[in-house]
Amino acid sequence: MRNVTSTSASTSRNAEKFLPKLLDRLGKAKAKAIAHIKPGDDQEVVLSRFEKIEDELQQMEDSKFLPRVTLWEHTLFSQFTVLERRVDKLFLGDDESNTFNSIEAITGALIGMIENVDQIPLTQLMPSYPERSLEFTHWSQPELGLTAAKKLPQELSQKDLEKGIYESRAMANMRRSYEHLEGTELRLCFLSFSIFPEESVIKKRPLIYWWIGEGFITATQDNTAEEVGEEIFGELMKQRLIQPHGNVNLSTSCTLHPWIRCMLIGLARDALLFDFDSSWPWMPLCQASVCRRACLVFDQNPTSSGEEDLLTVFNVNSNYLSFKREWLSKLKKVVVLQLGRWQSSPTHHIEVDDEGLFLKGIGAQHYLSFKYLSLRGISGITRIPSCIFNIISLEILDLRACHNLETLPSDISSLRKLTHLDISECYLLEGMPKGIGKLSSLQVLKGFLIANLKNTPSRLGDLAKLKKLRRLSIYIGSGAVMHDKEFETLKEISSLRRLKISWAVVSPKLKKIIAHQSLDFSFPPDLEKLDLQGIPLKEVPPWLNPRELTNLKKLYIRGGELCSLDHAGEETVTECKWRVEILRLKYLSNMKTELPKVEDQFPHLLYLERVKCHEKDIFWSKSHGQKLSK
């Protein structure tokens, strides 16, 4: 018999050369097997088995992705070697005792070989196309745009290659993984990933907002719609259908494998969820279509007929918005206007040409359906038209990082269905409008500004009326003036679970005033996450201790002058242990942390991050099995 151990050298062969040789050996095995079949037996069964194996291997060769495989070449060649050995041992060996004399024995052996081919991990061998001259992630740059996108290398525009990938067995296996997803909610949310350009880093929060606006997910008796979205995002991550971007423990963004994206495009198109332009490499259409969803791509604005029936307008990668008010006014049934950025990077830039005056095209005609408006990260918008705040059906308003935004309407109390309001990172705002305390459905409020008393008719005390508020971020401006004991009212927001407090960079004189005012904080009993940014105190305040924050699981302190977490001279406090599981300390040049003491004070700690503090950086996870103090 041929020395099959010699095939171990296959792992060093070139894939382009190895696979044709394997196909050649398979052809010889087929001829020998047919020759040994007894007269009267059905040769077609054996032929069909062999052809199935040959077709699968031939498809790998024809798809031309094998030359691209480097990271997984060992796994690939190991599988090929096993198959080659089985061919040699079962059909091409010199030992006549191994010759199969019955069709049942031959087909049984072939079934085992087919299973071997099916087990080749094609999802790991999917090409990442590293040699591209033009990456999808760069198409959103204005200097490239539509013209550059259509000048793809010939290799990428080969329809036969893409068709071969879509019709491959690996793709069929992935489609089965989609079919095994439980529930319509999970499937619809997964299909939504199909519109994002290849290699995109997708931010979780805008994604969940979109799901809520579309109605893909809804609140349950036990969970808010956002919590349902968090569970779905986690489930897709758990099943490895999406991958975390960055730190696995803290990731709020994800990426999508190119082949999974390919599968989703086909499924979303078949389900009439989205339509895609056949002349581009699977980019969503910007025209209104039977899918009732239009996407803004390459700075093209939708202008075709059918606006009256559109449900969603989603900005995929347009950097410049120049809508006509007339077009927006036709969107009678729209539920989602995602015009802002969804990208993870805050450097992604979107501009408008008329200070956002096109937004006046959104009128009260949407009061029955319009749920979600995102202007996140759009430059040039100085004010939000009052007509936006007359849309009483609006549930999510995302104005985060609108850096030119200066004013909001004087009263926003009409948005009674609003559950999410994000005005964080809008640093030119002078104050909060009145009426926030009347938004009884509000669950998330980010960017609540404390400024001078004149410009901020809404104060912290008003938030105590919001019985559903679960997440709150507060920005204390450089000219902030607070009522005495104003921060004590925080403890009255009993539903609050996550709180972020940020301090502006201020003069030394104002810093003393703010530092004194910051001593009166008092927190709700069930607070689970506390994020302090730019804290102007050197000594740890009395409220930052485990006895005040008994249920805290996450503690983030970023920037500021804090030197330590120790309460000097307070034995009873230092003896008390934190229940914090995730501790992140960043940009604290005065902060000194002794790791044995941290390990003692935080016995439940699962993850520690110390970056750009007084000592060297640390990224520690308990899951790695090493003690923190070591």
Side-chain angles (χ1 to χ4, degrees):
M1 176 181 287
R2 178 178 180 269
N3 183 7
V4 295
T5 58
S6 65
T7 60
S8 61
S10 301
T11 56
S12 62
R13 299 179 189 175
N14 183 283
E16 292 176 282
K17 297 178 180 179
F18 181 37
L19 190 52
K21 290 181 179 179
L22 181 56
L23 285 165
D24 180 65
R25 297 188 68 80
L26 199 63
K28 293 177 180 178
K30 178 170 63 175
K32 189 170 183 178
I34 294 297
H36 283 82
I37 293 178
K38 296 177 181 179
D41 285 338
D42 188 359
Q43 294 186 6
E44 293 300 321
V45 176
V46 176
L47 285 172
S48 65
R49 295 280 195 274
F50 269 108
E51 288 172 358
K52 183 176 180 62
I53 298 172
E54 288 173 328
D55 287 347
E56 291 297 320
L57 295 178
Q58 189 67 53
Q59 196 173 78
M60 295 180 202
E61 184 180 37
D62 293 344
S63 294
K64 301 184 186 303
F65 70 74
L66 288 178
R68 308 173 187 275
V69 176
T70 55
L71 179 61
W72 304 103
E73 65 180 0
H74 178 74
T75 303
L76 171 68
F77 282 121
S78 295
Q79 295 283 355
F80 279 174
T81 299
V82 170
L83 184 59
E84 185 182 45
R85 286 177 178 176
R86 299 187 83 164
V87 171
D88 289 353
K89 183 177 180 180
L90 299 178
F91 298 106
L92 299 182
D94 297 328
D95 187 351
E96 292 300 321
S97 64
N98 287 337
T99 301
F100 289 86
N101 294 316
S102 71
I103 192 169
E104 290 81 6
I106 293 175
T107 54
L110 287 172
I111 288 173
M113 293 172 63
I114 290 172
E115 291 176 354
N116 175 235
V117 174
D118 288 345
Q119 289 172 4
I120 292 178
L122 289 181
T123 55
Q124 293 179 332
L125 302 175
M126 297 172 189
S128 58
Y129 303 116
E131 61 271 56
R132 290 178 180 172
S133 61
L134 179 62
E135 297 289 350
F136 285 89
T137 48
H138 296 159
W139 291 358
S140 59
Q141 297 177 7
E143 63 270 20
L144 296 178
L146 175 60
T147 303
K150 290 198 171 183
K151 291 181 179 179
L152 291 172
Q154 183 178 3
E155 177 186 12
L156 289 183
S157 60
Q158 293 175 347
K159 299 294 181 60
D160 292 339
L161 170 59
E162 294 180 349
K163 182 180 179 182
I165 291 173
Y166 187 69
E167 295 178 355
S168 67
R169 175 173 293 276
M171 194 63 70
N173 290 336
M174 282 188 286
R175 284 196 292 270
R176 280 196 291 272
S177 70
Y178 164 79
E179 291 165 1
H180 290 157
L181 292 176
E182 295 184 2
T184 304
E185 285 185 346
L186 192 56
R187 293 186 183 185
L188 284 173
C189 292
F190 188 33
L191 289 179
S192 70
F193 284 91
S194 61
I195 69 168
F196 297 110
E198 193 170 344
E199 300 179 1
S200 296
V201 179
I202 306 162
K203 193 76 173 173
K204 175 174 67 173
R205 198 60 51 197
L207 193 64
I208 293 177
Y209 288 172
W210 175 25
W211 295 345
I212 295 173
E214 280 264 15
F216 292 165
I217 56 177
T218 56
T220 64
Q221 185 175 354
D222 300 321
N223 299 102
T224 65
E226 187 173 13
E227 289 171 337
V228 173
E230 293 274 3
E231 291 178 358
I232 286 179
F233 189 88
E235 181 63 23
L236 294 175
M237 194 83 72
K238 180 181 178 181
Q239 297 196 29
R240 299 184 180 180
L241 295 171
I242 58 177
Q243 290 82 41
H245 178 74
N247 191 312
V248 176
N249 296 285
L250 306 168
S251 181
T252 58
S253 302
C254 69
T255 58
L256 194 68
H257 196 284
W259 273 39
I260 291 181
R261 175 178 176 266
C262 173
M263 173 195 70
L264 289 176
I265 287 172
L267 291 171
R269 184 169 47 204
D270 293 344
L272 298 181
L273 198 64
F274 301 101
D275 202 358
F276 296 86
D277 194 326
S278 59
S279 64
W280 295 357
W282 294 334
M283 288 298 292
L285 280 176
C286 61
Q287 287 83 17
S289 66
V290 294
C291 299
R292 302 185 67 189
R293 292 171 180 84
C295 295
L296 310 182
V297 291
F298 305 122
D299 296 333
Q300 286 191 329
N301 290 323
T303 56
S304 62
S305 60
E307 298 93 339
E308 294 84 356
D309 292 322
L310 275 179
L311 294 175
T312 293
V313 178
F314 197 101
N315 185 358
V316 173
N317 59 359
S318 182
N319 298 102
Y320 188 73
L321 304 181
S322 57
F323 291 112
K324 294 182 178 179
R325 298 187 209 178
E326 294 78 12
W327 187 85
L328 282 173
S329 66
K330 295 178 182 178
L331 304 179
K332 306 293 185 181
K333 299 178 181 179
V334 72
V335 295
V336 169
L337 275 180
Q338 165 73 45
L339 305 180
R341 75 165 181 254
W342 49 265
Q343 291 85 348
S344 177
S345 173
T347 60
H348 188 85
H349 193 64
I350 304 175
E351 291 186 4
V352 294
D353 62 348
D354 58 358
E355 296 187 348
L357 294 179
F358 67 84
L359 292 172
K360 290 186 177 180
I362 305 174
Q365 70 270 17
H366 306 295
Y367 74 99
L368 291 177
S369 57
F370 195 17
K371 293 183 179 180
Y372 171 37
L373 172 64
S374 170
L375 305 177
R376 175 183 290 227
I378 299 180
S379 299
I381 298 177
T382 59
R383 61 180 65 245
I384 304 298
S386 58
C387 61
I388 299 295
F389 292 85
N390 291 328
I391 306 173
I392 61 174
S393 61
L394 201 63
E395 295 180 9
I396 302 174
L397 179 58
D398 188 352
L399 306 177
R400 185 186 183 100
C402 290
H403 296 308
N404 299 107
L405 185 60
E406 298 176 2
T407 59
L408 295 171
S410 59
D411 190 340
I412 65 172
S413 59
S414 58
L415 298 179
R416 296 300 178 89
K417 291 188 177 182
L418 201 68
T419 59
H420 294 70
L421 175 60
D422 192 344
I423 46 178
S424 57
E425 299 179 34
C426 297
Y427 297 118
L428 295 184
L429 278 179
E430 297 179 350
M432 292 291 96
K434 64 180 180 179
I436 291 181
K438 296 181 180 180
L439 305 181
S440 57
S441 299
L442 208 59
Q443 300 168 12
V444 176
L445 174 56
K446 296 183 178 181
F448 185 87
L449 173 64
I450 296 180
N452 59 55
L453 298 178
K454 178 181 178 181
N455 292 330
T456 309
S458 291
R459 307 299 297 188
L460 277 179
D462 298 326
L463 304 186
K465 305 172 186 177
L466 305 179
K467 302 304 181 182
K468 297 181 180 180
L469 192 65
R470 299 178 62 85
R471 185 180 302 172
L472 171 66
S473 75
I474 300 169
Y475 182 70
I476 303 175
S478 57
V481 177
M482 291 179 278
H483 295 299
D484 290 339
K485 309 294 184 181
E486 183 170 359
F487 269 87
E488 285 191 356
T489 60
L490 282 173
K491 64 183 178 184
E492 299 176 19
I493 313 176
S494 58
S495 58
L496 198 63
R497 297 296 180 268
R498 299 184 179 187
L499 174 64
K500 177 181 177 180
I501 304 174
S502 304
W503 287 263
V505 177
V506 297
S507 66
K509 181 179 179 181
L510 283 175
K511 189 179 293 184
K512 291 181 179 180
I513 297 174
I514 293 176
H516 177 72
Q517 293 171 329
S518 301
L519 295 175
D520 297 325
F521 290 3
S522 184
F523 301 112
D526 294 323
L527 196 67
E528 297 174 355
K529 177 181 177 180
L530 178 61
D531 187 343
L532 305 172
Q533 189 168 334
I535 184 170
L537 307 174
K538 291 185 177 181
E539 303 297 330
V540 62
W543 45 263
L544 188 57
N545 72 76
R547 291 196 172 184
E548 292 289 328
L549 298 160
T550 56
N551 291 306
L552 201 67
K553 296 294 186 294
K554 298 179 181 180
L555 176 59
Y556 299 177
I557 305 176
R558 296 179 288 177
E561 301 182 16
L562 204 61
C563 297
S564 170
L565 291 175
D566 296 335
H567 291 260
E570 296 186 21
E571 298 289 335
T572 56
V573 173
T574 56
E575 288 174 1
C576 189
K577 309 295 184 183
W578 288 91
R579 301 192 65 83
V580 167
E581 296 175 353
I582 297 178
L583 176 63
R584 301 178 71 189
L585 307 172
K586 302 180 71 173
Y587 314 117
L588 297 162
S589 56
N590 300 324
M591 174 71 77
K592 297 180 181 179
T593 52
E594 299 176 19
L595 294 183
K597 184 177 289 187
V598 171
E599 194 170 33
D600 178 62
Q601 292 178 330
F602 295 83
H604 302 279
L605 204 61
L606 301 178
Y607 179 81
L608 170 65
E609 181 177 297
R610 185 180 68 189
V611 179
K612 296 188 182 302
C613 294
H614 187 72
E615 296 109 336
K616 67 178 182 179
D617 293 355
I618 286 180
F619 298 89
W620 173 85
S621 176
K622 188 176 182 179
S623 61
H624 293 162
Q626 188 176 9
K627 281 196 172 184
L628 177 60
S629 56
K630 292 184 179 181

